[in-house]
Amino acid sequence: MTYLREPGMHITVTRTGGFAGLRLQRSVDTAQRADASEWDELVKTARLDSVSRPKNKPDRFTYRVEVDGRTVTVAEPDLHGPLHTLVERVLHQE
């Protein structure tokens, strides 16, 4: 499965759940960004194709990551490595 399209991509991360059940959603469009190649590499190394189904955990966050129309969902305890970096980077964009 290929997630990258030239000359950029659209990435959306939605965080739901937690103790208060709050929802946070942020998006990044890399097409016009000077650091687009860094985003491309981060998506490649996040290995979205290998994400397993989330295990429901009470009071924990669940993250939905959409890259150019393809979606994966990951539970907070399973969010690590490059996927964690991708999620954090999208959620904390200015």
Side-chain angles (χ1 to χ4, degrees):
M1 206 179 293
T2 302
Y3 287 94
L4 305 178
R5 284 192 270 171
E6 295 299 328
M9 68 185 99
H10 186 80
I11 307 166
T12 300
V13 173
T14 306
R15 183 186 74 192
T16 56
F19 181 73
L22 300 176
R23 182 177 187 267
L24 174 64
Q25 182 173 327
R26 298 281 189 270
S27 295
V28 174
D29 188 346
T30 68
Q32 301 301 319
R33 296 182 59 105
D35 61 351
S37 62
E38 293 174 29
W39 285 96
D40 290 348
E41 187 61 29
L42 187 54
V43 169
K44 285 179 190 176
T45 60
R47 300 183 48 149
L48 299 176
D49 292 336
S50 65
V51 174
S52 59
R53 296 191 80 182
K55 301 166 192 89
N56 291 334
K57 301 281 185 182
D59 301 328
R60 300 297 293 263
F61 290 117
T62 299
Y63 298 86
R64 190 176 81 209
V65 180
E66 299 174 64
V67 178
D68 286 341
R70 291 188 165 84
T71 304
V72 298
T73 303
V74 61
E76 184 178 26
D78 300 323
L79 189 65
H80 47 78
L83 183 56
H84 179 263
T85 303
L86 177 64
V87 165
E88 289 297 312
R89 190 167 177 189
V90 172
L91 290 178
H92 295 97
Q93 282 300 296
E94 299 176 4

